[in-house]
């Protein structure tokens, strides 16, 4: 058979097979190429990232390589969503450290600088309008939270005859939210911070019902952050950009505190009302306060054992 | 082989009927489609399309979920008389009740699923490949008990129907232990759902030991109300015989349950209002409003009025026996308990917030349409499932054609 | 203090109103090297060179040279709190526009008479409710220093020694960290803000200022449109009863 007479001879099975394999090869190459292309079908991610994210394991179950892959996915996602190059880290907890926080109610004047600092540091959605810290204004002589004003807007603060109570996640040592979560998306780390794996949370919001301090917040919509305000120094369990449909809360600025820096709220407070440190260090400021000042915790009777105290001079 | 024929025949039975039946199916399918269409908006934009907020983070979906778990549990009120007390009349209709339980569980699970921020991540709850927080999380318990209840309420009727379909008698000793398990399981699904709420000291309105009993009592009042109305529909629209004695029994159970349910409401009111502390803020908001806020007041008072009226009707023997007044009582009790248990229980748990803020909740139009879609889905499931159930029970549907006209009494034990 | 995540917006910073040739300028920020517009260029150049010179020494937050960090290690009778964790203090001297004081006060006699002052320092003394005069804190011997009640000289960068003379409990709190503010880190070497970073020594009370905006509500929703429920207090109720004779309403 003269193979050069292609026009006249009948196609053989070999021809068909060759054509099929060639097509398969082209198709496979095309699929691989398509998998690395961002497409709207996967929310702007590449197919590889979308699948990788979907099948991603729980943070505590991932190997170091898998964690690294997850961090890189977060970084790529942020680049795609905001056009900003971020750095997502996984700084482990410090040895011999359990964090504690205290607020001096005599010093808090209700400026809400802590709130502003937190929003900027932690990449909270301006549209989903999550704020980890809420400052309550109460009338002197009345500690009933139901009489508090959350939305005070005065020309100047502090307002005469009133005092201010900032509330955020208490990082309870017996956290009801950790018990409530059906998929263990939230847990307490060795340094005492109660963290959330935002890629594991299914968004059932049971933890929000369980929290006695209204500390947990939900992304009802996609968090919108102006690119120029995005904080690029992030931690996977902390202020990395979050998707919609997951719960988030104060995490004691894990991206800062695990490197020795103060949480953003403490740094922002102009009056020095906030004190943060290592409860296991007997010479720390926080220990001094707990041992020498009259301190209390909110809703102590619920047995949540918060690591967040209030004191006054 | 017989199994395949069973499914094929059942499917054929589901999609066979007079024009009225098709209109019914079509209408339901349309409502389901509208709900699904709106759900796509929720998938795209997030739960921001609902009226929920950080302050009231559970709303209409979970309210309906809590109510429907109760309806599902109420199937046990047919199972117990049928199998434990050997009531033949009830045994005839018990499979219809279990079909209703299946539909209610499907609805409840659907509501929870579409309340999630990331329903595609549900696999995270699978033990092994996921992280299942059992036994600490009450929501994990709820997943276990609802799935188990669904399996039981499919397995037992399936066994009975498939056996009858093949022309044999189901083996009582085989399915009765499962039935006993199902009896306890039914009470447990609703108790676990109550515990889901009452386990939270952060929400004083829910944090009461009475919540479990309240849930069971109101379930046993609203469930029979629905079953009574459904059985009358079955009697009217199909060839399935439903004895009046079954309806009388259910009406009696409903009377007791409704009395207990109303009593429990009274108990709550006394306990919270006698020495009113901050923990009573939610019930104060619900019944009396706080300051300028009182959106739930008309709802709860209507619900209470409906429940008390239904209770009084049922307590008067002639009125309970009269089919018209009975149906009025059923409708009143069903709606009244739906309000009281749904919006009147889930929402006030969030108002005021643990930080004392009062922020009200109103479901949005899309939320209502999605909810309607799920209810339509449940009714559709029930309608479809009941067709082969009736056909097999009545004897019309068999693997081998039955010679001669079938007699109901020949096949129902 | 200018910080990355927020700044104090005036009100309690050291404010020196400088009046020269009829031009009013107010400092109300802690810029490291404040530049004051509208002042005669001669004074400005002089001040800048002095500030530059002193800032060389002030780099480590120490008053001068290699002296020990905590002033209490010098020859003060007050020994501080040895078991408080060690610290450095953020220097203040470079923020003081008129420093060194001796450039003018060398030519003036120190006086402890309480009197009406007509000076470039338009300072309103609102400290102590009339109990204090300048020389309670400012040394009459060494014009560039403050002094304790025992007339021991204290540098401006160690003003906390002076403040503690009256505010002993507050000073102790400051040493141990339950008062005042620490820079940057929560662990390791402590760098603290001096008292005068937050409290204008001449008018130390923290002045009211505007708050940051109220929290938003969820996207697509409005803030609740009602009053915060605040029942009257116990004593208000009794007052009403005693005045009106009727039982007050909850």
């Amino acid at each position: 058979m003269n193979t050069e007479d292609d026009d006249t001879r009948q196609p053989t099975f070999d021809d068909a097979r060759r054509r099929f394999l060639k097509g398969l090869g082209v198709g496979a190459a095309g699929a691989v190429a398509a998998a690395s292309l961002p497409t709207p079908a996967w929310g702007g991610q590449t197919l590889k990232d979308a699948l990788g994210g979907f099948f991603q394991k729980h943070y505590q179950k991932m190997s170091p390589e898998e964690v690294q892959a997850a961090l890189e996915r977060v970084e790529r996602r942020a680049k795609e969503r905001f056009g900003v190059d971020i750095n997502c880290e996984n700084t482990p907890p410090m040895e011999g450290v359990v964090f504690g926080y205290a607020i001096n109610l005599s010093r808090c004047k209700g400026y809400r600088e802590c709130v502003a600092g937190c929003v900027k540091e932690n990449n909270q959605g301006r549209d989903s309008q999550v704020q980890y810290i809420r400052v309550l204004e109460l009338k002197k002589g009345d500690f009933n939270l139901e009489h508090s004003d959350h939305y005070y807007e005065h020309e100047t603060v502090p307002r005469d005859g009133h005092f201010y109570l900032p509330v955020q996640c208490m990082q309870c040592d017996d956290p009801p939210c950790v018990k409530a979560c059906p998929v263990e998306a939230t847990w307490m780390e060795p340094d005492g911070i109660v963290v959330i794996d935002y890629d594991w949370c299914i968004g059932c919001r049971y933890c929000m019902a369980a929290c006695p301090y209204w500390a947990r917040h939900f992304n009802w919509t996609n968090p919108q952050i102006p690119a120029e305000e995005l904080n690029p120094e992030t931690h996977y369990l902390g202020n990395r950009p979050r998707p919609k449909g997951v719960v988030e809360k104060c995490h004691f600025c894990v991206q800062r505190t695990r490197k020795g820096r103060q949480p953003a709220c403490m740094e922002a407070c102009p009056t020095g009302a906030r004190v943060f440190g290592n409860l296991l260090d007997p010479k720390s400021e926080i220990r001094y306060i707990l041992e020498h000042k009259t301190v209390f915790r909110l809703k102590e009777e619920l047995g949540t054992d918060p690591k967040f105290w209030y004191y006054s001079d | 082989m017989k199994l395949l024929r069973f499914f094929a025949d059942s499917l054929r039975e589901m999609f066979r009927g007079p024009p009225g039946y098709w209109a019914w199916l079509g209408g339901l399918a349309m409502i389901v489609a509208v709900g699904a269409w709106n759900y796509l908006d929720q998938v795209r934009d997030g739960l921001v399309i609902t009226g929920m907020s950080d302050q009231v983070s559970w709303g209409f979906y979970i309210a309906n979920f809590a109510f429907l778990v109760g309806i599902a549990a109420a199937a046990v009120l047919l199972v117990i008389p049928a199998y434990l007390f050997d009531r033949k009349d009830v045994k005839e209709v018990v499979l219809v009740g279990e079909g209703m339980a299946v539909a209610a569980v499907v609805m409840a699970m659907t509501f929870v699923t579409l309340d999630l921020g990331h329903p595609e991540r549900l696999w995270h709850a699978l033990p092994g490949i996921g992280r299942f927080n059992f036994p600490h999380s009450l929501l994990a318990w709820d997943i276990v008990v609802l799935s188990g209840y669904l399996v039981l309420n499919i397995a037992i009727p399936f066994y009975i129907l498939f056996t009858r379909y093949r022309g044999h008698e189901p083996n009582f000793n085989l399915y009765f232990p499962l039935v006993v398990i199902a009896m306890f399981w039914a009470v447990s699904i609703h108790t676990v759902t109550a515990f889901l709420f009452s386990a939270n000291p952060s929400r004083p309105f829910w944090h009461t030991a009475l919540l479990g009993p309240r849930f069971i009592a109101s379930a046993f009042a609203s469930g029979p109300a629905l079953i009574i109305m459904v059985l009358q529909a079955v009697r009217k629209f199909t060839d399935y015989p439903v004895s009046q004695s079954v309806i009388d029994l259910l009406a009696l159970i409903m009377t007791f349950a409704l009395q207990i349910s109303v009593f429990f409401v009274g108990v709550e009111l006394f306990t919270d209002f006698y020495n009113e502390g901050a923990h009573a803020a939610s019930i104060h908001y619900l019944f009396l409003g706080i300051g300028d806020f009182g959106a739930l007041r008309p709802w709860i008072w209507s619900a209470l009025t409906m429940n008390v009226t239904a209770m009084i009707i049922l307590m008067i023997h002639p009125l309970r026996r009269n089919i018209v007044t009975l149906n009025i009582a059923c409708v009143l009790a069903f709606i009244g308990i739906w309000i009281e248990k749904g919006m009147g229980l889930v929402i006030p748990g969030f108002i005021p917030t643990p930080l004392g803020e009062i922020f009200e909740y109103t479901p949005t139009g899309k939320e209502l349409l999605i909810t309607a879609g799920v209810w339509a889905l449940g009714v559709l499931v029930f309608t479809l499932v009941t067709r082969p159930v009736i056909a097999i029970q009545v004897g019309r549907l068999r693997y081998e054609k039955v010679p001669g006209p079938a007699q109901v009494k020949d096949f129902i034990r | 203090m200018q910080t990355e995540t927020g700044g104090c917006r005036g009100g309690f910073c050291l404010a020196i109103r400088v009046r020269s040739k009829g031009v009013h300028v107010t400092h109300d920020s802690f810029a490291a090297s404040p530049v004051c517009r509208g002042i005669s260029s001669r004074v400005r150049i002089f001040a800048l060179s002095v500030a530059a010179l002193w800032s060389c020494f002030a780099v480590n937050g120490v008053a001068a040279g290699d002296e020990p960090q905590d002033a209490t290690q010098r020859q003060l009778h007050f020994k501080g709190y040895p078991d408080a964790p060690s610290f450095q203090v953020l220097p203040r001297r470079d923020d003081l526009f008129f420093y060194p004081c001796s450039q003018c006060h060398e030519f003036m006699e120190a006086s402890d008479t309480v009197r009406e002052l007509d000076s470039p320092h338009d300072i309103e003394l609102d400290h102590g409710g009339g109990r204090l005069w300048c020389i309670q804190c400012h040394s009459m011997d060494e014009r560039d220093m403050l002094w304790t009640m025992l007339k021991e000289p204290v540098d401006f960068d160690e003003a906390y020694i002076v403040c503690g003379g009256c505010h002993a409990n507050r000073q102790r709190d400051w040493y141990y960290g339950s008062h005042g503010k620490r820079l940057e880190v929560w662990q390791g070497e402590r760098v603290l803000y001096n008292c005068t970073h937050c409290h204008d020594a001449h008018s130390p009370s923290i002045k009211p200022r505007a708050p940051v905006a109220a929290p938003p509500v969820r996207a697509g929703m409005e803030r609740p449109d009602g009053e915060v429920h605040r029942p009257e207090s116990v004593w208000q109720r009794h007052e009403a009863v005693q005045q009106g004779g009727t039982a007050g309403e909850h």
Side-chain angles (χ1 to χ4, degrees), chain C residues 49-210:
Chain C
S49 37
V50 163
L53 217 70
W54 275 109
S55 60
C56 296
F57 290 102
V59 153
N60 286 334
V62 192
D66 284 318
E67 289 214 13
Q69 309 290 14
D70 182 1
T72 54
Q73 291 168 37
R74 297 192 342 240
Q75 300 305 308
L76 293 177
H77 285 88
F78 170 58
K79 293 300 166 207
Y81 298 93
D83 60 341
S86 66
F87 61 92
Q88 293 183 35
V89 184
L90 196 66
R92 275 287 296 147
R93 237 184 8 236
D94 347 4
D95 302 337
L96 304 178
F97 183 75
F98 276 114
Y99 192 89
C101 317
S102 54
Q103 64 184 313
C104 297
H105 284 272
E106 202 179 327
F107 313 108
M108 294 186 239
E109 211 175 299
S111 157
D112 58 2
T113 315
V114 179
R115 62 199 186 280
E116 188 79 22
L117 285 178
D118 177 30
S119 82
H121 311 289
D122 192 12
I123 290 168
E124 204 180 306
L125 189 62
D126 185 15
H127 193 164
R131 296 182 185 87
L132 304 177
W133 186 239
C134 316
I135 46 82
Q136 249 74 58
C137 302
H138 291 278
S139 169
M140 293 171 77
D141 299 336
E142 291 173 54
R143 310 311 294 277
D144 288 327
M145 304 282 259
L146 306 164
W147 63 4
T148 66
M149 283 195 262
L150 303 182
K151 299 197 168 39
E152 304 152 316
V154 172
D155 192 271
F156 279 102
D157 278 340
E158 280 132 8
Y160 61 89
I161 303 291
V162 176
C163 308
C166 293
H167 303 282
N169 287 338
R170 194 67 90 227
Q171 186 198 48
R172 183 181 61 221
D173 284 343
W174 180 86
Y175 264 85
Y176 285 99
S178 79
H179 186 91
K181 192 166 159 69
R182 180 177 177 172
L183 268 83
E184 300 252 334
V185 292
W186 61 263
Q187 42 111 61
E189 281 303 303
R190 289 205 301 165
V191 179
L192 306 180
Y193 283 104
N194 213 331
C195 310
T196 44
H197 272 104
C198 298
H199 300 279
D200 173 355
H202 306 118
S203 177
S205 70
I206 305 293
K207 309 294 176 277
R209 46 149 275 195

Side-chain angles (χ1 to χ4, degrees), chain A:
Chain A
M1 189 144 348
N2 192 351
T3 50
E4 277 151 288
D5 288 330
D6 275 350
D7 294 338
T8 52
R9 69 177 177 86
Q10 299 287 351
T12 63
F13 175 70
D14 284 333
D15 289 332
R17 191 189 50 179
R18 255 178 254 127
R19 256 207 307 274
F20 174 72
L21 287 175
K22 198 157 107 184
L24 206 62
V26 169
V32 166
S36 28
L37 278 177
T39 65
W42 317 115
Q45 294 176 291
T46 63
L47 178 58
K48 186 155 166 279
D49 269 356
L51 288 175
F54 180 76
F55 288 109
Q56 185 178 307
K57 294 198 200 125
H58 189 280
Y59 173 82
Q60 290 175 318
K61 286 266 182 77
M62 287 198 273
S63 67
E65 297 79 38
E66 286 168 329
V67 172
Q68 191 54 38
L71 298 179
E72 284 164 12
R73 264 197 298 274
V74 170
E75 288 170 358
R76 279 196 292 274
R77 191 91 179 99
K79 178 77 181 174
E80 180 274 318
R81 270 172 77 188
F82 304 103
V84 176
D85 287 306
I86 70 165
N87 183 27
C88 187
E89 294 178 346
N90 185 28
T91 319
M94 288 173 159
E95 294 270 328
V97 170
V98 171
F99 291 120
Y101 213 130
I103 289 191
N104 187 345
L105 290 183
S106 311
R107 297 295 133 235
C108 179
K109 310 275 179 209
Y111 301 144
R112 292 198 189 108
E113 288 288 357
C114 46
V115 181
C118 174
V119 170
K120 251 195 278 183
E121 168 72 20
N122 288 304
N123 294 326
Q124 287 157 28
R126 311 305 190 252
D127 238 32
S128 52
Q129 288 159 343
V130 172
Q131 288 187 345
Y132 295 164
I133 305 173
R134 184 155 275 208
V135 183
L136 275 56
E137 183 189 67
L138 288 147
K139 201 148 150 248
K140 285 209 168 134
D142 181 358
F143 204 83
N144 188 340
L145 297 185
E146 281 160 41
H147 305 157
S148 66
D149 189 354
H150 295 220
Y151 301 101
Y152 62 91
E153 269 172 338
H154 311 302
E155 284 221 7
T156 58
V157 283
R159 189 168 155 216
D160 244 355
H162 291 76
F163 70 98
Y164 297 88
L165 188 77
V167 181
Q168 61 206 73
C169 174
M170 303 273 142
Q171 314 292 350
C172 304
D173 229 41
D174 186 7
C177 58
V178 168
K179 248 195 263 180
C181 179
V183 293
E184 294 182 21
T186 186
W187 67 93
M188 190 169 73
E189 285 267 296
D191 55 359
I193 307 180
V194 179
V195 296
I196 302 172
D197 183 351
Y198 307 110
D199 292 332
W200 192 257
C201 172
I202 61 175
C204 71
R205 308 188 299 292
Y206 191 25
C207 58
M208 289 172 72
C211 176
Y213 304 104
W214 199 69
R216 296 179 75 103
H217 303 275
F218 187 69
N219 283 301
W220 301 98
T221 174
N222 248 320
Q224 299 298 322
I225 311 163
E228 65 274 11
E229 291 177 27
L230 194 75
N231 177 7
E233 292 306 313
T234 68
H235 190 288
Y236 179 78
L237 297 171
N239 64 335
R240 47 143 296 185
R242 276 84 62 194
K244 73 171 188 292
V246 298
V247 173
E248 56 181 73
K249 67 173 188 67
C250 164
H251 41 74
F252 274 2
C253 278
V254 66
Q255 69 278 359
R256 288 174 150 237
T257 52
R258 285 187 175 175
K259 293 182 171 169
R261 293 176 70 197
Q262 294 176 2
C265 46
M266 179 179 175
E267 198 170 294
C269 175
T271 67
R274 289 169 166 269
V275 180
F276 177 86
N278 180 8
L279 291 171
L280 301 182
D281 174 7
K283 296 191 65 68
S284 61
E285 296 105 322
I286 180 79
R287 278 285 290 270
Y288 177 80
I289 290 166
L290 298 181
E291 288 164 12
H292 292 87
K293 297 289 177 190
T294 307
V295 300
F296 71 91
R297 295 179 291 190
L298 275 187
K299 308 201 189 216
E300 190 117 34
E301 71 281 3
L302 295 181
T304 51
D305 220 355
K307 295 195 278 291
F308 199 103
W309 287 263
Y310 296 94
Y311 70 105
S312 53
D313 288 329

Side-chain angles (χ1 to χ4, degrees), chain B residues 12 18 34 71 115 140 174 177 183 224 263 305 340 366 384 408:
Chain B
R12 204 176 320 143
V34 167
I71 300 293
D115 184 63
L174 192 60
M183 286 178 202
F263 172 67
T305 314
E340 180 204 310
K366 286 189 182 164
L384 292 174
V408 167

